[in-house]
Amino acid sequence: MSTATTRAGRRGRRTAAPYAFLAPAVILFVLFVLVPIGYAAYLSLRKVRVSGLGLGRGARTEVFAGLENYRAAVTDSELWSGGLRVLGYGALLVPIMLGLALLFALLLDRPRARLGRFARTSIFLPYAVPAIIASLLWGFLYLPATSPLNYLLARFGLPEPDLLGGGAVFFAVVNIALWGGVGFNMIVLYTALRAIPAELYESARLDGCSEVQIAFRIKIPLLAPALVMTTVFSMIATLQVFVEPMALRPLTNSISSTWTPLMKVYRDAFATDDRYAAAATSVLIAAVTLVLSFGFLRLVQNRAFGQER
Amino acid sequence: MSRSLGAKVLALVVGASLVAACTSNSDDEPEEPTGPVELTFWSWAPNMEKLVDRWNADNPGTKVTLSKQAGGADIVTKLLTAAKAGNPPDLAQVEYQSLPTLVSNDVLADIAEQAKPLKDRFAEGTWQQVTLGTEAVYALPQDAAPMMLYYRTDLFQQFGLTVPKTWEEFAQTARTLRGKSRKHHLTTFSAADPGWFAGLAQQAGANWWGIDGESWRVSVDDAATRKVADYWGGLVTEGVVDGKPMYTPEWNKALNDGSLLAWPSAVWAPGVLTGNAPDTKGRWAMAPLPQWSAGENRTGNWGGSSTGVTAASKHRTAAVKFASWLNTDATATAMLVRECAVYPAARDAQAGPGLAQPPDFFANQADFYPMVKQIAETAAGVTWGPNVNVTYQAYQDEFAKAITARTPFSGAIEAMQSATVADMKKNGFTIAG
C-alpha cells in the first residue's frame, strides 16, 4: 500500500519535472513572442479617430477598424512593388549566395586543401560584421566621391559608374547581403560535409571516381537536407531585408522609404506615427513568409528527406 | 536582426500600453502640490546641463533633472511613447514643426495663461510657430533658425562670380559657373531635407497649414511652393544645380574640396561647416538669401526648437517658470549662445554680448551676427500642421523620384499635398475645402 503511494507520488513528480524545466523558456516565449504577436494582431484591427482640429484634450481616440488597415495595405501599390522587388532580390541573391557557399564548402572539404583554416575564417569573417556597419562601409565604397574604384577609373580616364544610381542600387544591396551571407552558409554546409562518413569516399575512389564526380554524385546529394535548411533561412532573411537598404537610403535618391515591405512597416510605425498600418503590414509579411517557407519545404521534402523516412 | 528589433519594439509597446491602461484616462487637470518641486527635462542641446546646473544653484526650491535625448524625430517618437505610458518628462525640447503632432496626441499643455505676456520678447514669425495660429501657447521659442546664403568667397572670386541678390541671379550664377567648370556646382538640391525646402517655400510666401475656425486648411500645393519647386526642378534638369542629397560623405567632401560653392542654409550652418568642411575655414561668407523680386527682404526658417511643458506634468507653473527663465532670462540666453551654440529666439538675446563676435569659422565677417539679427526679423511666419511627418516623408520619396526620373518637381508637390490630405482625412481631422 505504502509503496504504491510512493510510486504514484514519484510518478507525479516525474511528470511535473519536464514542465518545470520548460517553464522559463515557455514563459519568455509567451511574454516576448506570443504576446507581442497577439498585440500586433490586435493593433492591426484598430485605428485612431480624431475629431475636429485634434488639438484639444481627448480629441484623439483609438477605435475598432475592422479589416480597414489590411485593405489599405493590400491596395497599396508601394507595398506591392516593394514585395516584387524583394522577390527579385531573393531570386538573385539566394542562388548566388548558396552557390558560392556550396562551392567554397566543397573546395575546403577537398582532401589536402591548403590554408583550410585561414580560408574558412576569412570567408566567415564578413558574417561577424554587423549588417549596419557593413552597409555603411559599402556605402562609402559605392559613393562616387569617396569610392576608391571611381578614383582609379577617373585616373585612367574611364567612365565612372554611379553604383547607387537607379538601376545599379539593386545590385549594390544584393552585393552587401552576398558579402555578409556566404560565410555563414558555407560553415553550415561545410559542417554537414564533415559529417559524411569517409568510407563512402573511400569506396567511391576504389571504384575509380574522380573528386569532381564525388562532389556531384555523393557530397551534394547527401548535403540536400542542409541545403534545404540554408535555403529556408535565406528566404526568410530575404523577405525581411531591411538594414542594408535602410543604411544606404540617406546616401542616394534611388531608395524610397518603402523600398522593401519591412521598410514600409518601419516608416508607418516610426516616421508617420501609424502603428496600426504598420501592424497590419507586419502580419501580412509574416503570413507570406510562412506560406513561402512551408510551400518550399513541402516542395522539396520528398526529395531531400525521402531516404530518412 | 530586424525581427528581434520588431519583437523588442512590440514588447515595449505592450508594456507601455499596459502601464497606460492603469494610469491614464483621467480628464482632470493634474493637481499642483506645494513644497519643493522636482522637474525632469528632455533636451538634446549640447552642454544643456550647464544651464540646468545654473538654475538649480539659483532656485533651490525647484530642482530640474536633465535627461539627454537624441534630437529631431527621435525625441518625438520617444515623447509619444512616454506620454502613452503615463511617464513623460515635465519639459521637453521640441522642434517647431513637431509641436502640432505632440499637441494633437495630448502630450503638450497649453501654457497661454503664464506664457502670453512673453509674446513681445520674440519675433512675430517665431511666436506664430508656438501658437499654431490659435489663442493657445504650446511652447516657448528657444532657438530661431532663419535662412541665409553661404558662399565661398575665394572661389566666387576665382570664377568671377558676384553674390546673387535674386533667385534669377542665382540661377544665372549657377549657369555661368557650369560654363566655366564642369567640376563645380553652385549648390545641390537635396531630396533628403524637407525642412530645408520648407524654409525656402516659406520665403516665397508658402504657408502649408492654417486653421480656419474649427477646420484645418492644407495648401502644400500652392502657387508659392510650386514656384519654388519648378525653379529648382528647372535648374536640376538643366544640370546647373546638383541633385544629390545633403549630409552624406559625398556632400561633406564636395563642401570641403570646393566642388560646391554655395549653400542656402540656416544660422547654424557655421557649426556644420566647422565639422564637415574643416579645410575651408575663413573662406566662407554669409549673405541674405536671394529674393524672389529685387528689393524684397524675406527669409524662411530651417529648424529651430522650443521648450514645451507636458500635459501630464504635475508642476505646470514651476515648469513654465523654468522654460521662461531658460529662453528669456539674460544670463540663461547668454549661456545658450555660449554653451549650446544656438541662435536664441528671444530678441534681446540676439543682440546680447555672446553674439558680439562672429563664429570662428567666419572670423573675416565681423558683422555676422548683426546681419543675422536683421535677417531674423524678416523670417516669414508659419503654421505647422498635425502631420508634418507625413508631408516630410512624402517630400523625401517624391522629390527623390522626381530627380531620378527627371520629372517636373511640381508633380512631387501635388503628391505631397495629396499624401498630407489623405492622412488627415483618414485620421478624421476636419479639413476645409
Side-chain angles (χ1 to χ4, degrees), chain B residues 82-428:
Chain B
K84 263 220 167 69
N87 57 357
D90 295 281
L91 297 126
Q93 182 180 4
V94 178
E95 286 183 309
Y96 295 116
Q97 77 272 11
S98 306
L99 286 172
T101 302
L102 291 172
V103 172
S104 162
N105 279 284
D106 204 15
V107 177
L108 291 182
D110 174 7
I111 51 170
E113 212 175 307
Q114 272 177 279
K116 264 265 161 72
L118 297 170
K119 181 175 190 289
D120 295 333
R121 310 286 290 270
F122 304 94
E124 208 176 312
T126 309
W127 190 253
Q128 194 190 336
Q129 299 198 76
V130 297
T131 63
L132 316 182
T134 66
E135 287 303 304
V137 177
Y138 292 110
L140 283 176
Q142 177 167 304
D143 56 307
M147 291 183 75
M148 44 274 275
L149 181 70
Y150 294 88
Y151 64 97
R152 285 282 297 271
T153 42
D154 54 339
L155 293 174
F156 262 56
Q157 202 164 16
Q158 185 189 326
F159 290 108
L161 306 173
T162 50
V163 183
K165 291 213 160 38
T166 63
W167 286 111
E168 186 49 50
E169 286 175 29
F170 185 85
Q172 205 48 56
T173 311
R175 286 186 198 108
T176 314
L177 173 67
R178 284 301 276 177
K180 289 181 176 166
S181 163
R182 303 305 295 169
K183 280 191 174 165
H184 297 80
H185 277 108
L186 183 56
T187 193
T188 188
F189 182 92
S190 173
D193 297 271
W196 173 75
F197 181 79
L200 292 175
Q202 285 160 29
Q203 186 207 17
N207 206 349
W208 290 352
W209 284 269
I211 295 181
D212 294 335
E214 276 307 296
S215 53
W216 286 96
R217 174 184 52 73
V218 182
S219 46
V220 179
D221 188 8
D222 64 357
T225 311
R226 265 172 183 267
K227 178 171 74 178
V228 178
D230 283 333
Y231 169 81
W232 286 98
L235 294 179
V236 172
T237 316
E238 204 183 319
V240 294
V241 158
D242 202 5
K244 301 229 172 97
M246 305 193 274
Y247 294 100
T248 70
E250 194 170 25
W251 180 74
N252 292 347
K253 184 165 179 287
L255 284 180
N256 209 24
D257 70 13
S259 314
L260 290 176
L261 271 72
W263 184 28
S265 183
V267 63
W268 39 259
V272 176
L273 293 174
T274 311
N276 298 16
D279 299 350
T280 59
K281 187 174 177 180
R283 299 186 199 157
W284 292 84
M286 182 268 286
L289 216 53
Q291 301 293 315
W292 284 104
S293 23
E296 252 183 6
N297 264 321
R298 285 174 72 102
T299 191
N301 272 297
W302 180 13
S305 65
S306 61
T307 313
V309 174
T310 58
S313 168
K314 291 196 170 62
H315 311 284
R316 190 175 294 176
T317 319
V320 179
K321 213 176 256 171
F322 171 73
S324 18
W325 172 82
L326 181 65
N327 297 311
T328 58
D329 180 84
T331 322
T333 50
M335 283 180 83
L336 272 181
V337 172
R338 199 173 59 243
E339 306 289 354
C340 310
V342 304
Y343 185 72
R347 275 197 178 119
D348 302 343
Q350 290 175 357
L355 295 174
Q357 296 297 317
D360 270 355
F361 214 69
F362 285 72
N364 50 334
Q365 202 167 10
D367 64 341
F368 188 92
Y369 282 117
M371 238 170 105
V372 172
K373 183 170 164 48
Q374 270 182 13
I375 293 172
E377 288 293 328
T378 67
V382 58
T383 304
W384 296 107
N387 60 342
V388 177
N389 42 9
V390 172
T391 315
Y392 275 18
Q393 188 69 58
Y395 170 87
Q396 296 185 337
D397 282 341
E398 298 300 333
F399 273 88
K401 221 191 286 171
I403 292 172
T404 14
R406 301 186 159 271
T407 50
F409 280 15
S410 46
I413 298 292
E414 270 168 43
M416 278 167 75
Q417 166 86 13
S418 51
T420 310
V421 171
D423 177 72
M424 286 178 77
K425 281 202 174 134
K426 189 183 85 185
N427 285 323

Side-chain angles (χ1 to χ4, degrees), chain A residues 3 19 24 73 108 130 144 170-171 189-190 200 207 247 250 272:
Chain A
T3 40
Y19 295 104
L108 286 173
F170 181 78
F171 300 98
L189 296 177
Y190 178 74
L200 283 176
D207 289 341
T272 59

Side-chain angles (χ1 to χ4, degrees), chain A residues 36 39 49-50 52-54 57 60 140 143-145 240 249-251 253 256-257 262 267 270-271 273-275, chain B residues 2 9 13-14 17 27 84 104-106 191 216 243 248-250 253 389 393 396-397 400 403 426-430:
Chain A
Y39 188 63
R49 198 76 219 143
V50 171
L53 287 175
R57 273 228 118 159
R60 190 178 275 251
F140 273 88
L143 275 177
Q240 300 186 347
R249 193 170 109 77
L251 306 181
N253 285 328
S256 68
S257 64
L262 220 55
R267 182 201 69 177
F270 298 107
D273 291 333
D274 193 347
R275 293 183 295 145
Chain B
S2 38
V9 169
V13 170
V14 173
S17 64
D27 280 338
K84 263 220 167 69
S104 162
N105 279 284
D106 204 15
W216 286 96
T248 70
E250 194 170 25
K253 184 165 179 287
N389 42 9
Q393 188 69 58
Q396 296 185 337
D397 282 341
I403 292 172
K426 189 183 85 185
N427 285 323
F429 288 98
T430 315

